[in-house]
Amino acid sequence: MHRGGFTLATKISDDTLESGKVKIYVDQTGETLTVDEDDIEKANPAQFDRVEDLTHLRQLNESSILHTLRQRFAFNLIHTYAGNSTLIVINPMAPLAIYSEKVVSLFKGCKSEDMPPHIYSIAQSAYHGMLSSRRDQSLLFLGRSGSGKTTNFRHAVQYLVTAAGSLSKVVTVEKLAALWTVLENFGNCRTVLNSNATRFTQIFSLDLDQSGVVASASIQILLLEKNRIVKKLDNESTFHIIQRLLCGVEGRLRKELLLDNISGNENNHFYIPLQKHEDRQRAQTEFIKVCSSMNILGITETEQKSIFTVLAAIYHLGSAGAVKTPSNNKYQFANPQAAQRACTLLGTTVEELSRILFGSGSGGMVTPNAPRAPFRTPSPIDKGLDREAVGMEAIEGIIIGLYSELFSCVVHLLNRSLAASTHTVTSILLVDTPGFQNPATCGRQAGASFDDLCHNYLQERLQLLFHHTNLVAPRDRYIQENIDIDFDTNENESHVNPTPLVNLMDRAAQNTVVRTSYTDLHEADRRGLLWLLDEEAIYPGSNDESFIERLFTHYSDRDHQLLLRKAPGSNQFMLHHLQGTNPVLYTAKGWLKCSRENPVARAAINVLLESCKEELSKLFVNVRGIGGSNFSGSMLGIDGTQSLKRASSMRRTFGSNVAMKRKSICLQTKFTIDGLIETLRRTKLRFVHCMLPCHDASCNDVGSNLLGVKNDGQGINDLINVPLLRSQIRGAQIQDSVRLNKQGFPNYMPLGEFRRKFRLLSGDNKLSVPILDERKAVEDMLQTLDLELTSYRVGLSLVSFFLRYVFS
C-alpha cells in the first residue's frame, strides 16, 4: 500500500533486515524495495478475481477490496455485495444497458443467493423479505454528491413497481418517470460538485396489500434547501424550474405571466439568465417535458397555471428589489413596475405587499390568527427570535416563503396522483438524500456553507445508523445469545466510530444556561455545534466571530483535535468527517442569519390564501387548509404514507419539536433527522453505498470512448482515483462491516420459528408433543440434518447461520 493506491509485489526472504521491515520485488517495475511490514497486505489467488461478494475473499483487507472493485469496474460490473444487506455501486460515468424490463424479469421472484449483485437484486431482497416476514423494509442510499444515489434510487423504485405490480395502475412506470421529471425541476440545481444535484431529502413509500401488490405510494420531502432560491453563486444555479420557465413558456401563457416584455437583461438580484443558445434550447425542451409530466400526473391546466403564476411572481420580486428612500429613511421597491407585476400575479396590491415587507415589526408580517401576547416580560431570547427583516432581506424572506409553499403544493399534487384508499399491510421505504458536500474537492476554496453543514450532518447520522446496524447490533446479539465470535477489536475504537463527531455537532444541552463564563465553562455540559449556533443567533450583539470563538472554547481540548481544527481564513474551521477520511473546510460567514428562519417567510402563505385570484387561493387552501397552519406532509413528512402514519415517533417529532422550534433552522434540522432515523430503525434496513470513481465524475463529460476503455480493462487507472475510492471505503466502514459479516453469523431466526419451519426435514412430525427445551430440540434437529458445524450457532433464543437464507 502507498499514497497512490497499491501495487502487486512479491515478498523476498532476507534475515538481515531489521524488525518491522520487509524486502519486496515489485512485479510491474522489477524494483527491489525495503518497506515497512505494516504497509504489506496479502493478495488473493486468481480464482477470487472479480468476486461478487467481498465476504468471499480469502484475504480480506483494504487492498483486496479495492482491487476487486477496480477489476469489476473495468468490466462494467459496477455492483458488488458487501455482505448480506449492503451493496456497493460505483458511478459508471456513462449509461449502461443493464436496466430494462427484460433485466427486471430475470430478477423477479429470485432469492438472494440466486442473484448477482445489482440494484435490482437488493430491491428484490427487500421485497422477498417483506413477503416472508410481513415487516416494513427500507433501502437507504449513501454517498458523496454526484455518486449516483438518485439514479440508483429511481432504478430501485422502478424495479419494485414493475416486479410487484400495481393495483388498478395507481403507480406505473410512466407515472414514475413523470414524477421524477417534476421533482427534478423543482428541487434540483447545478452545483460545483454535481451538474444536477438533489437539494432535498425524499422518502418514497410503496405501500403493499396482503398479496404483495403495490396498492398506493407517497413521497415525503424533508430538509429542502430553501435558501437556494435566493442564492447567486459562481458556477451554481437556483432550482432548474425558474430558468426553464423563463425560456420555455410561450404564447398566451407568457403574456398572462407578464413575461412577454422580459428581455433577459433586467437587473434581477437572484437569477442570472441563460446566455448560450444551446442552453436556452435545452431549457425550452425541459419545460415542455415538465408540462407533459404534469398532465400525466393529473395536474389540471388551472393548477399548472397557478404554479407557474407563483414562479413568475418570484422572478418579478427578484427584479423589484428594495431601496431606502433618503426622505423618510424607509425601504420601498427599487423597481415599482416589477413589484406591480408580482402583485398582479399574486392577487394582492402593492400597498399590501409593501406593508408586509417594509412595515414595522417583524418585517411587517401580520398574521390573522396570531396568539395573544404572553403575560411574562419577553426575554432577550424572544426578542432575538422576532428580529426585524428589512430591505433585501425582507424580499428574500417572501421569495423563500413563496417557493417553500409552492414546493409543498407540488408534492401534494404528486401524492394525490399516487394515493389510493385501499388498505395496505406493509411498506417499503426508499430514502434518497443530498450527497456529502466538500466543495474543495472540485476547486472551490471559499469553504462550505451552512447548507453544506446540514447535508453533511445528515450523512454522518446515516453513517452512524449503518455503524449501529452492521457493527454494534450484531456484536450485541452475539453477546446476548452467548455466541463466541473471534472478531477483531480496534484499539482506537473512538476514532473509527461516527459517534464522537455526531455528538460534537448535535449534543443537546443538559442545563438552561444560555451563555457561561470562561471560568465555569469546563464544568458546564458541552453543547453540540448546532445548539451553539442556535443559542448564539438569538443572543444580542453576537456575530459569526463570536460563534467561532465559542465553538473553540467548548472544543479546543486534546480529545477533539482530531475532529475539529482551526483554519487560517477568517471565520473558518475544519471538521474531519466520516472517520477522518473527508476533512471539510467551512466558512461561517452569514451562519447566524442562516440559522434563523426569515420572519417574513411566514407571511407568504397568507398572501397566497388571501389572494383575490380564486384559482390561486383555492389551490393553496386545499393544500394547507383555511388557517394555513396545518402541516401538509410534503415539507415535514407526516401525511400521505400509511407506513409513516404508523410510526408514532415520526408524528411526535414533526408535530411537536419542529412546531416548537419552527424559527430555528438548526433545531428543525436536528429534530427532522431524529424522526427520519427513528422511522428507519423500525424497519429492516438495507444499505446502498454509492461511490465516486473520480472527483469530477458528475461534473464533466468523460468522453464517448469511456465504455470501450473499460471493456478492454486498459487505462482503468485513468478512470478510477484509487486514493479517493479508498477514502470512501474507509469512511463508510466497509471493511469492518464485511469482516464481521464474514466471521460471524449474520442470518438468524427464533428457535421456535426455526423448529416449526424445518422440523419435517429432520423427520419430526409430532405436532402435539410439547417441547420443554426448545434449544435442545433445535440442536438435535441440526445434528440429524448433518450440517457443517461451522455454518451455524445455536444461541439462547436464536439460531444463527452464515449462508444467506441457507434453509429457504
Side-chain angles (χ1 to χ4, degrees), residues 184-255:
E184 184 176 294
N185 276 272
F186 281 86
N188 286 29
C189 66
R190 184 183 70 251
T191 68
V192 292
L193 296 172
N194 190 348
S195 60
N196 189 26
T198 303
R199 310 317 289 168
F200 57 89
T201 295
Q202 54 183 319
I203 308 173
F204 195 93
S205 173
L206 289 172
D207 301 321
L208 301 103
D209 63 12
Q210 189 73 31
S211 60
V213 175
V214 177
S216 66
S218 66
I219 186 166
Q220 280 71 41
I221 301 300
L222 314 175
L223 305 175
L224 173 69
E225 192 176 307
K226 302 175 186 178
N227 290 330
R228 174 66 56 174
I229 193 65
V230 293
K231 279 187 177 180
K232 198 173 182 180
L233 301 175
D234 293 337
N235 300 321
E236 296 197 351
S237 71
T238 184
F239 297 112
H240 293 319
I241 189 62
I242 295 288
Q243 301 286 12
R244 290 170 182 176
L245 172 73
L246 297 176
C247 295
V249 66
E250 295 177 342
R252 180 180 176 183
L253 181 57
R254 187 175 189 88
K255 187 174 182 179

Side-chain angles (χ1 to χ4, degrees), residues 389-404:
V390 296
M392 283 305 300
E393 188 178 352
I395 299 287
E396 289 181 9
I398 198 68
I399 289 177
I400 290 172
L402 288 172
Y403 196 84
S404 300

Side-chain angles (χ1 to χ4, degrees), residues 422-622:
T422 310
H423 176 69
T424 60
V425 179
T426 50
S427 300
I428 299 179
L429 304 180
L430 299 97
V431 180
D432 177 40
T433 64
F436 190 89
Q437 310 290 313
N438 191 349
T441 59
C442 277
R444 195 174 84 187
Q445 302 299 325
S449 65
F450 173 75
D451 290 316
D452 294 331
L453 176 79
C454 293
H455 295 319
N456 293 346
Y457 167 62
L458 172 57
Q459 290 298 318
E460 288 286 355
R461 290 290 302 274
L462 296 178
Q463 181 59 39
L464 181 60
L465 180 62
F466 175 84
H467 176 83
H468 282 301
T469 303
N470 285 18
L471 292 172
V472 177
R475 293 182 182 184
D476 290 345
R477 187 174 69 250
Y478 297 144
I479 294 173
Q480 292 170 3
E481 292 295 316
N482 200 21
I483 297 176
D484 293 330
I485 301 295
D486 297 328
F487 50 76
D488 299 334
T489 56
N490 196 309
E491 296 178 358
N492 206 11
E493 181 69 22
S494 62
H495 295 150
V496 294
N497 186 335
T499 304
L501 185 59
V502 170
N503 287 340
L504 186 151
M505 298 183 73
D506 73 357
R507 181 177 176 179
Q510 302 298 317
N511 52 53
T512 58
V513 179
V514 175
R515 286 179 71 90
T516 52
S517 65
Y518 291 101
T519 55
D520 61 358
L521 184 60
H522 294 290
E523 287 74 26
D525 290 327
R526 282 194 178 98
R527 296 164 184 79
L529 184 154
L530 293 175
W531 292 90
L532 290 175
L533 182 59
D534 179 66
E535 292 176 356
E536 200 69 18
I538 61 179
Y539 194 79
S542 59
N543 52 38
D544 297 328
E545 290 80 5
S546 64
F547 161 68
I548 295 292
E549 180 182 356
R550 192 169 180 216
L551 175 64
F552 280 99
T553 302
H554 276 257
Y555 293 101
S556 60
D557 57 300
R558 182 175 298 178
D559 294 339
H560 293 91
Q561 286 182 358
L562 294 177
L563 302 175
L564 174 68
R565 292 286 182 96
K566 287 187 177 181
S570 175
N571 296 334
Q572 289 187 333
F573 63 95
M574 185 171 288
L575 284 178
H576 291 264
H577 287 281
L578 299 176
Q579 289 61 253
T581 63
N582 201 341
V584 179
L585 175 69
Y586 292 97
T587 301
K589 183 179 179 180
W591 280 25
L592 266 64
K593 174 184 173 183
C594 293
S595 66
R596 311 305 305 178
E597 184 183 85
N598 192 307
V600 182
R602 300 192 295 273
I605 185 59
N606 295 321
V607 172
L608 296 169
L609 292 176
E610 297 170 5
S611 171
C612 66
K613 289 190 172 183
E614 183 180 354
E615 65 276 8
L616 189 64
S617 175
K618 183 179 179 181
L619 176 61
F620 287 93
V621 166
N622 290 336

Side-chain angles (χ1 to χ4, degrees), residues 569-782:
S570 175
N571 296 334
Q572 289 187 333
F573 63 95
M574 185 171 288
L575 284 178
H576 291 264
H577 287 281
L578 299 176
Q579 289 61 253
T581 63
N582 201 341
V584 179
L585 175 69
Y586 292 97
T587 301
K589 183 179 179 180
W591 280 25
L592 266 64
K593 174 184 173 183
C594 293
S595 66
R596 311 305 305 178
E597 184 183 85
N598 192 307
V600 182
R602 300 192 295 273
I605 185 59
N606 295 321
V607 172
L608 296 169
L609 292 176
E610 297 170 5
S611 171
C612 66
K613 289 190 172 183
E614 183 180 354
E615 65 276 8
L616 189 64
S617 175
K618 183 179 179 181
L619 176 61
F620 287 93
V621 166
N622 290 336
V623 176
R624 292 292 300 265
I626 297 176
S629 59
N630 65 309
F631 295 120
S632 67
S634 58
M635 292 306 297
L636 295 176
I638 333 172
D639 193 24
T641 174
Q642 298 185 41
S643 61
L644 294 188
K645 287 179 180 178
R646 292 196 294 268
S648 60
S649 62
M650 199 76 165
R651 292 196 305 271
R652 183 172 61 252
T653 299
F654 290 134
S656 59
N657 288 331
V658 174
M660 290 170 58
K661 304 295 183 182
R662 66 191 181 100
K663 300 178 183 180
S664 169
I665 303 300
C666 293
L667 303 190
Q668 282 181 23
T669 300
K670 172 178 165 46
F671 291 135
T672 301
I673 294 174
D674 285 346
L676 172 62
I677 298 297
E678 186 60 29
T679 299
L680 292 174
R681 284 185 185 277
R682 297 170 180 267
T683 66
K684 169 62 179 176
L685 274 163
R686 288 176 174 81
F687 298 89
V688 180
H689 286 277
C690 301
M691 304 284 180
L692 275 173
C694 56
H695 285 296
D696 58 352
S698 60
C699 300
N700 300 325
D701 186 3
V702 294
S704 58
N705 297 323
L706 175 62
L707 294 180
V709 172
K710 288 166 64 177
N711 283 325
D712 293 340
Q714 302 297 323
I716 191 64
N717 289 327
D718 298 330
L719 297 176
I720 283 196
N721 183 332
V722 176
L724 172 63
L725 187 60
R726 176 164 58 194
S727 70
Q728 292 173 87
I729 293 294
R730 287 180 179 177
Q733 299 183 289
I734 296 296
Q735 183 178 341
D736 295 336
S737 173
V738 172
R739 177 176 287 116
L740 183 59
N741 197 285
K742 180 179 180 178
Q743 296 173 339
F745 301 87
N747 302 287
Y748 57 92
M749 189 181 294
L751 295 174
E753 181 182 349
F754 178 83
R755 189 182 63 81
R756 286 191 299 273
K757 278 191 173 183
F758 306 111
R759 58 183 178 77
L760 291 179
L761 295 177
S762 63
D764 180 12
N765 56 2
K766 300 176 183 178
L767 288 172
S768 59
V769 178
I771 300 297
L772 300 179
D773 190 343
E774 199 83 63
R775 183 180 182 186
K776 181 66 167 58
V778 170
E779 288 177 341
D780 293 341
M781 277 181 58
L782 292 169

